Amino acid sequence: MPEVTTVILNQAGINRALTRIAHEILEHNKGTEDLVLIGIRTGGDHIAGDLADRIAAIEGEKPPLGAIDITMYRDDLDSRGSLPLGRTEVPFDVDGRKIVLVDDVLYTGRTIRAAMDALIDLGRPRNIQLAVLIDRGHRELPIRPDYVGRNVPTSREEDVAVDFDAERHPCEVRLIKP
Amino acid sequence: MSFGHKHILGIEHLSREDIFQILDTAAGFKEINTRAIKKVPTLRGRTIINLFFEASTRTRTSFEIAGKRLSADTVNISASSSSVVKGETLEDTARNIEAMHPDIIVMRHGASGAPHYLAERLDCAIVNAGDGAHEHPSQALLDLFTIREKKGSLEGLKVAIVGDIAHSRVARSNLYALTRVGAEVRLAGPGTMVPPGIEKLGAEVHHDINDAIRDADVVMMLRIQLERQGKTLLPSLREFSRFYGLNQDNLKLARPDALVMHPGPMNRGVEIASSVADGPQNVILDQVENGVAVRMALLYLVAGGEATEES
Amino acid sequence: MSILIKNGRLIDPANNIDDHLDLLLKDGLVAAVGKNLSVDADETLDADGKLVTPGLIDLHVHLRDPGQEYKEDIASGTAAAVAGGFTSVVCMPNTQPVNDNLAVTKYILSRSEEVGRCRVFPVASITRGLKGENLTEMGELKQGGAVAFSDDGRPVENGEVMRRALEYARPFDAPIISHAEDLSLVGKGVMNDGFVATELGLKGIPWVAEDAMVARDVMLAEYTGGHMHIAHISTRGAVEIVRRAKERGVRVTCEATPHHFTLTEEAVRGYDTNAKMNPPLRTEADREAVRRGLADGTIDAIATDHAPHHRDEKNVEFNIACNGIVGLETALPLALRLVRDKVMDLPRMVALFTSGPADVLGLDCGSLAAGQPADVTLIDPDCEWTLTADQLVSKSKNTPFDGWTLQGAAITTIVGGKIAWQRAEQQ
Ligand SMILES: [Zn+2]
Ligand SMILES: [Zn+2]
C-alpha cells in the first residue's frame, strides 16, 4: 500500500517554533545561568544544538550542550532486542543545573522516562524541563512537555518524521499515513 | 538491529561485523565505568549465573562486575563448592541451574566443548568464559578492543602471539578474531607447544621469538602453565624464559610503539620480564579495565535475543 | 528340519562361488548347493534378487557379559548380531571379571548356549586381569573354548610379555590379537592428533602411537613365528607395515572397522561423543588406506569392535566420554557402500565378513561347502532404510550413524539351520 506523506511543518514553521521555544526557555529560566541543554539521541541532540544557537543569538551566551543515548535505559529489550548503543556525551557536571531535555517527537513518554533515569544517574540536577518540536499525543506515562513546537493530533498507525539538513538543522516535519 | 547469535561459544562463529558490533557496543558501555554511579538499568530483572568449573578469580570477577553494572542479578557457582565434585553429571548440574530460570549462563570449564554441550541442552543463552584449550572469546574481544583503542584500527596490524600456543584458548580465540578483522598474526612457541595445522587458521608460525616480534605492532604473551601440561613439553622454565620470554632486548625488535599484552595472571621472569611488564609499552591493566566493558557488551547483546524484530 | 533357499545369488568366497544357485540346509548342516534344486523342504525361502552368503562373522565385539550387563549382555548382543546378519561373533575378554580363566570362558559359552542367538567364540586375555604382567593359562583356555588371546582395550605395553605370549600361544595354534597403541604416545589424547584437534582444542592421539606399536608387534611375530592379529587397524602407516610384513611371509593378519573405513576425524566436530573411539577416527588419507587395504587383501576381515555404552557414559563432556560405538547392526550396509563406491567387488566384501575372519581364527564356519554348519545370511543389497538409534536391537544406542540413510540389509539370518532372525517388512 502506498504511503501518504503530508508536510505538517516546513522550514519557516520550524524556525518560528524553535525561536519561540528559545524565548520561552530564557523567559522561564530568567536567562542562561545554570542552564544546560541535553538532547536525546538521535534527533533530539540536533534540535538541542539548534536551540542553543538560537539562545546564544538572543542572549549573547550559549548554554552548555550535551547529548544522551537512552538505549541502556530502555524498557523494551525483550521486544526490540539489543539496539546499538549511542554515545552519551555530557561534558559538564549536572549537579545543581537546570536541564532542558530536548527531543524531536514526544509520543508515549517512555523515551523521556528513560532519559530522566539516565540524567539522574549522572548527578542531581536542580530541575529537568522538557522541550519537544512535535507532540503527537498518546502518552502512556504522566509526562507533560514544558515547551512544544507544534501539537499534532495523530493516530497510532501514523508516523511522524523529522528531517534534518546536512548541518543537522531540522528542515521539515512530515506525517506519514500507512 | 539485533545481535545474530543466541550464544557466545567462540570467536570461530563470529563474523567481522559481529566482532565490530561487540566492540562498538563495548565502547558505549566503557563510559559507565568511569562514572560515579557505575550502573545502568539495562538488564534489570535478568539473572546471570556465573558457572565456573575452573577457578578463575579474574574472569569471574570481570563478568560479575559487568553483570552488576547492567543491574542484572548475578550469582556465582563454582565447581569446588557445588555438587559437581560429588559426581553429578554436567547435564544434571545444568538442568538444576536451568530450573532456576537464569537468562544467561556464563560458563568456564576445563573440557573443550563443554559450553557447546550445554548450549545444545538448555534454553538459556550461554556465554563461554573459557573451555579447555579451545576458546576464550571474551578475552580475545577485550584484547581487540584494547588494541583498537590504542592503535585506532586493527586492519593490517602485525600481532605476535608467543608461548604455549597448543594449550591456549586465548591464542585460538585471538587467532580467529585478529585474522577476521584483517590483522596479521604471527605465532611463536617451542616445537612442543605449536599444535599441528595451526597455520591453516591463517597464522605465520615461527619457532624463533625474534622472527615473530620483528616489526610487530602488538606483542601478546601467553601464560605458561607447566604444572598442567606435563614435564615432557619443556626442559625447564629457565630455558623457556631464555628462548621464548619477552624482555627489554628482544622487545626492541618490535615497532617502538608496539603494545605489550598479557591475559594474566603473569609469571614474571618466565614469559615476561618485569621491566617489560611494568614498562611504558604495557597495556596489561587496560586489558583488565576493558574486559568489563566488553563483557557488558556480550551480556547485553545476548540478552536481547537473536531474532527480535527490527525496530 | 530342512530349509531350501531358491533363486538367490550365492556368493561363497571360500569356495570361489558367485552364481545363481539354490542352497539346501538340513539338520543343521549344508546339504547341497546346485542349480534348480527340487527337493521337498520343511521351508522354502525365495531369495530372488537377494544375496545368499555364508553367515557373517564378526571378529571383534564386546558383549559386556559378565559384569556390565547394563550396556549389553549375551542375549542382547547376539540378538543385535543376528539382526545385522552375523551368525558368529568373537567376544573380547575385557569383561568384569576379565575372561582370564576357564570359569569365565565356560560361563560365556554356556550362557551363549542358553540365551545366545548366534555362535559366540570367546577370546581370553593374554595377561591376568589385563595387567600386562603374567600370562594366562593359555593351554587350558584354548582347550576350554577360547579361540584367541587379547588384552583388547589395552595394549600389551611390555615387549617381553608380548614376545612370550606369541611364543607360548604358538604351539596351541592360537593367535594373539593386539590392540596396538603406544600408551606413552597416546597420553591423555581423546581424538586423532592434527588440525581438527587443534581447532577443537582437544588433546590429540598421533598416528605414530599406532604405527609404532604395530611395527613392534609385527616384528615380534616375525621373530617368534607366532601369529599376530592386529585389531582395528586405522592408520595409513600401520596398513603399510602389515602389507610389507605379509610380503615377507610374517604370520600377521589384521581387521578394520566400518567406522574407520567410513568416517574421519571431521565427525568429531561439534564434540559428538559418538565419534569418540579408540583408535580414534583418523584422516581422509588413513580412511583411504584402510579401504585400499581391505580391497587388496592386506586387511583380512571387517570387524565391528561393537562397543556398547550406556547413554550416561556418552552424554557427557567429550574428554570424559567412553570410547567406542555399537557396530553390529550397521556393518553390512556400510560395507556395501564400499561396493557401490567401487572400492571392491561384492565377493571381496563378502569374503571380508566370512572366509576372511574364519581363516584368521581357523573357525569351522564361513563356507557353504556341503557338510559345513548351516550358517547363512540372506542379504537385500538394495533396500534403503533410515537408521534410528532408538530402534537398534542392541541395548545401547551409541552410534554416530543415527539418521543416516543406509542401503542394504540382512533380511534373514540362519544359524545352524534355524532361522535366527528375519527382518520385518521394509520400514
Ligand atoms: Zn581395542
Ligand atoms: Zn575392542
Side-chain angles (χ1 to χ4, degrees):
Chain A
M1 218 165 23
E3 293 176 346
V4 182
T5 300
T6 326
V7 175
I8 50 179
L9 214 51
N10 60 17
Q11 183 72 71
I14 290 171
N15 284 340
R16 281 194 295 274
L18 291 179
T19 303
R20 173 173 52 77
I21 291 175
H23 280 287
E24 286 173 10
I25 290 172
L26 284 168
E27 177 116 11
H28 185 259
N29 292 286
K30 301 182 178 67
T32 57
E33 198 187 343
D34 289 335
L35 184 70
V36 300
L37 264 53
I38 295 180
I40 299 173
R41 289 199 199 276
T42 49
D45 49 344
H46 306 331
I47 307 232
D50 187 298
L51 278 174
D53 291 341
R54 288 175 202 270
I55 288 170
I58 299 162
E59 197 74 4
E61 194 163 343
K62 185 169 170 174
L65 193 58
I68 54 166
D69 179 79
I70 55 125
T71 312
M72 295 172 200
Y73 293 83
R74 300 187 74 96
D75 58 5
D76 54 2
L77 185 63
D78 278 329
S79 56
R80 304 231 295 178
S82 309
L83 299 171
L85 296 188
R87 289 296 185 96
T88 289
E89 283 164 302
V90 179
F92 45 79
D93 199 346
V94 300
D95 285 357
R97 297 294 185 103
K98 296 183 273 187
I99 295 178
V100 178
L101 187 61
V102 183
D103 205 358
D104 49 2
V105 179
L106 176 61
Y107 185 27
T108 61
R110 289 181 189 271
T111 300
I112 307 303
R113 191 284 304 160
M116 287 195 288
D117 285 349
L119 286 179
I120 284 161
D121 275 0
L122 295 176
R124 191 175 186 284
R126 188 187 313 165
N127 62 48
I128 299 175
Q129 303 154 38
L130 176 60
V132 300
L133 180 58
I134 303 293
D135 182 352
R136 60 170 291 196
H138 304 285
R139 215 76 76 240
E140 292 169 6
L141 297 173
I143 281 169
R144 182 182 52 77
D146 301 280
Y147 317 101
V148 181
R150 169 77 62 93
N151 284 295
V152 180
T154 60
S155 75
R156 281 185 182 274
E157 291 68 41
E158 291 166 334
D159 206 1
V160 175
V162 178
D163 298 331
F164 296 89
D165 64 18
E167 277 85 48
R168 294 177 174 167
H169 287 290
C171 54
E172 195 170 80
V173 180
R174 293 174 294 126
L175 181 68
I176 303 166
K177 293 177 199 281
Chain B
M1 185 171 68
S2 259
F3 192 58
H5 301 270
K6 179 174 180 189
H7 310 289
I8 305 281
L9 299 179
I11 305 288
E12 193 192 345
H13 308 289
L14 300 182
S15 68
R16 178 193 163 85
E17 289 67 36
D18 293 331
I19 291 170
F20 281 117
Q21 190 183 353
I22 295 165
L23 300 185
D24 292 343
T25 306
F29 283 122
K30 187 172 177 181
E31 176 253 332
I32 294 167
N33 296 319
T34 55
R35 291 187 192 171
I37 298 171
K38 299 176 187 61
K39 199 176 184 104
V40 289
T42 319
L43 297 188
R44 201 161 49 100
R46 310 280 168 138
T47 305
I48 299 173
I49 292 185
N50 292 319
L51 179 58
F52 275 59
F53 292 86
E54 267 184 356
S56 163
T57 316
R58 185 173 302 243
T59 305
R60 203 211 61 220
T61 308
S62 182
F63 267 110
E64 189 179 350
I65 290 176
K68 290 201 153 100
R69 290 198 176 155
L70 292 170
S71 300
D73 297 304
T74 61
V75 181
N76 296 322
I77 299 178
S78 57
S80 53
S81 65
S82 82
S83 46
V84 176
V85 283
K86 294 174 208 138
E88 190 176 60
T89 66
L90 181 55
E91 186 178 32
D92 286 339
T93 305
R95 289 211 180 288
N96 274 285
I97 290 168
E98 190 170 52
M100 304 173 211
H101 301 290
D103 297 284
I104 301 172
I105 293 179
V106 176
M107 181 190 192
R108 161 69 63 93
H109 200 289
S112 299
H116 308 67
Y117 174 96
L118 228 57
E120 278 171 25
R121 287 164 178 80
L122 303 186
D123 286 332
C124 66
I126 309 288
V127 175
N128 181 3
D131 65 321
H134 181 227
E135 283 230 45
H136 192 350
S138 63
Q139 178 70 42
L141 290 163
L142 73 88
D143 289 340
L144 262 68
F145 186 94
T146 306
I147 297 170
R148 188 174 77 158
E149 194 177 62
K150 301 287 175 190
K151 292 283 175 195
S153 88
L154 295 161
E155 187 132 15
L157 293 182
K158 296 178 175 66
V159 182
I161 304 177
V162 183
D164 185 356
I165 312 293
H167 304 95
S168 174
R169 50 194 171 215
V170 176
R172 276 176 188 68
S173 286
N174 261 301
L175 179 50
Y176 284 123
L178 288 163
T179 52
R180 216 143 286 176
V181 299
E184 182 190 303
V185 181
R186 297 105 162 251
L187 302 174
T192 47
M193 291 179 165
V194 175
I198 191 92
E199 67 285 348
K200 287 191 216 164
L201 294 177
E204 267 177 40
V205 174
H206 299 279
H207 291 291
D208 182 338
I209 185 175
N210 294 338
D211 293 336
I213 293 181
R214 196 165 287 116
D215 302 322
D217 298 286
V218 178
V219 182
M220 201 179 275
M221 300 306 295
L222 300 172
R223 174 176 165 77
I224 194 101
Q225 285 177 291
L226 208 52
E227 68 284 0
R228 268 204 199 177
Q229 308 307 345
K231 292 187 170 66
T232 56
L233 294 177
L234 284 181
S236 69
L237 290 178
R238 177 172 166 269
E239 170 135 325
F240 178 84
S241 170
R242 187 160 160 219
F243 284 88
Y244 296 97
L246 186 67
N247 51 52
Q248 275 177 311
D249 291 333
N250 54 23
L251 182 57
K252 289 197 183 95
L253 294 169
R255 290 176 50 107
D257 59 351
L259 308 178
V260 172
M261 305 182 79
H262 193 294
M266 288 186 281
N267 298 299
R268 286 171 178 268
V270 181
E271 69 263 7
I272 188 163
S274 276
S275 55
V276 174
D278 302 330
Q281 287 164 266
N282 103 76
V283 293
I284 295 164
L285 292 179
D286 299 81
Q287 290 173 273
V288 177
E289 182 189 345
N290 292 332
V292 175
V294 165
R295 288 171 177 126
M296 287 170 82
L298 291 177
L299 296 174
Y300 170 63
L301 290 170
V302 299
E306 58 175 330
T308 46
E309 271 177 58
E310 291 283 308
S311 59
Chain C
M1 174 67 192
S2 58
I3 301 177
L4 179 62
I5 303 168
K6 291 187 72 71
N7 307 323
R9 174 177 168 190
L10 191 138
I11 301 177
D12 179 13
N15 298 294
N16 261 319
I17 294 172
D18 177 7
D19 202 352
H20 281 85
L21 293 171
D22 296 346
L23 174 66
L24 180 67
L25 309 174
K26 206 171 172 192
D27 301 330
L29 299 175
V30 175
V33 178
K35 287 258 180 221
N36 304 318
L37 293 182
S38 52
V39 278
D40 276 334
D42 299 329
E43 190 161 357
T44 301
L45 299 175
D46 182 12
D48 187 25
K50 310 288 189 287
L51 310 178
V52 179
T53 72
L56 310 186
I57 302 164
D58 190 343
L59 277 186
H60 192 139
V61 303
H62 296 270
L63 292 179
R64 308 294 190 207
D65 189 352
Q68 293 180 307
E69 293 85 354
Y70 69 95
K71 300 185 189 213
E72 194 81 284
D73 58 27
I74 288 171
S76 66
T78 54
V82 294
F86 291 96
T87 57
S88 298
V89 295
V90 177
C91 66
M92 290 296 143
N94 59 339
T95 46
Q96 293 171 358
V98 173
N99 183 11
D100 61 1
N101 63 78
L102 195 58
V104 177
T105 299
K106 288 285 186 207
Y107 162 79
I108 293 168
L109 287 170
S110 67
R111 187 77 186 148
S112 302
E113 207 59 51
E114 267 174 66
V115 301
R117 305 275 294 275
C118 69
R119 296 179 204 278
V120 175
F121 297 101
V123 170
S125 65
I126 297 170
T127 62
R128 286 185 205 167
L130 304 173
K131 288 199 170 74
E133 292 161 5
N134 304 308
L135 296 186
T136 54
E137 292 165 332
M138 290 183 179
E140 184 179 76
L141 286 160
K142 181 80 199 310
Q143 275 181 354
V147 293
F149 298 92
S150 178
D151 276 3
D152 185 52
R154 301 184 52 79
V156 175
E157 290 183 79
N158 184 318
E160 157 79 358
V161 173
M162 191 54 123
R163 170 196 171 177
R164 298 306 179 196
L166 281 158
E167 286 176 343
Y168 190 80
R170 196 180 138 198
F172 295 108
D173 214 15
I176 297 294
I177 300 176
S178 170
H179 171 115
E181 52 179 357
D182 181 328
L183 288 184
S184 66
L185 287 169
V186 170
K188 288 179 182 153
V190 294
M191 71 170 290
N192 187 49
D193 196 31
F195 177 59
V196 179
T198 293
E199 272 201 278
L200 295 177
L202 292 172
K203 260 202 185 314
I205 301 173
W207 52 259
V208 67
E210 179 166 333
D211 291 25
M213 198 56 120
V214 169
R216 184 204 74 173
D217 285 347
V218 162
M219 286 176 180
L220 285 172
E222 189 165 18
Y223 183 76
T224 59
H227 177 183
M228 170 61 67
H229 177 76
I230 306 295
H232 41 59
I233 199 162
S234 75
T235 66
R236 182 168 45 164
V239 172
E240 190 55 32
I241 290 164
V242 170
R243 184 177 286 125
R244 291 209 212 136
K246 283 188 164 182
E247 281 164 12
R248 294 200 301 280
V250 181
R251 283 181 75 193
V252 58
T253 52
C254 66
E255 70 194 29
T257 71
H259 45 273
H260 287 115
F261 68 64
T262 304
L263 301 173
T264 67
E265 59 186 355
E266 293 290 330
V268 178
R269 288 188 191 281
Y271 302 95
D272 181 2
T273 54
N274 281 326
K276 187 180 178 191
M277 5 260 188
N278 186 17
L281 296 172
R282 305 281 188 185
T283 66
E284 182 56 38
D286 295 305
R287 187 179 81 124
E288 197 46 47
V290 168
R291 290 173 155 223
R292 233 176 307 121
L294 286 163
D296 72 11
T298 304
I299 300 172
D300 302 86
I302 292 171
T304 64
D305 199 2
H306 179 79
H309 290 296
H310 191 270
R311 178 188 175 280
D312 292 349
E313 293 163 321
K314 281 290 194 182
N315 189 20
V316 292
E317 301 91 301
F318 191 88
N319 60 337
I320 59 168
C322 282
N323 284 311
I325 59 167
V326 291
L328 285 165
E329 295 167 74
T330 44
L332 179 59
L334 292 174
L336 282 163
R337 283 159 62 102
L338 298 177
V339 177
R340 281 199 302 280
D341 290 352
K342 307 232 179 330
V343 176
M344 62 184 67
D345 60 15
L346 209 41
R348 173 63 193 157
M349 187 218 82
V350 173
L352 285 163
F353 278 116
T354 57
S355 54
D359 288 350
V360 168
L361 295 186
L363 300 178
D364 184 25
C365 50
S367 153
L368 293 177
Q372 284 291 111
D375 293 357
V376 183
T377 303
L378 265 63
I379 299 166
D380 179 342
D382 301 314
C383 65
E384 266 199 12
W385 56 288
T386 301
L387 182 82
T388 310
D390 286 342
Q391 286 173 8
L392 289 171
V393 173
S394 170
K395 265 189 200 180
S396 292
K397 316 297 176 191
N398 50 313
T399 174
F401 303 110
D402 189 21
W404 279 41
T405 297
L406 299 170
Q407 209 178 333
I411 50 168
T412 305
T413 308
I414 300 169
V415 180
K418 294 195 182 91
I419 293 176
W421 191 78
Q422 258 180 321
R423 189 175 172 82
E425 278 310 301
Q426 297 312 311
Q427 300 132 342

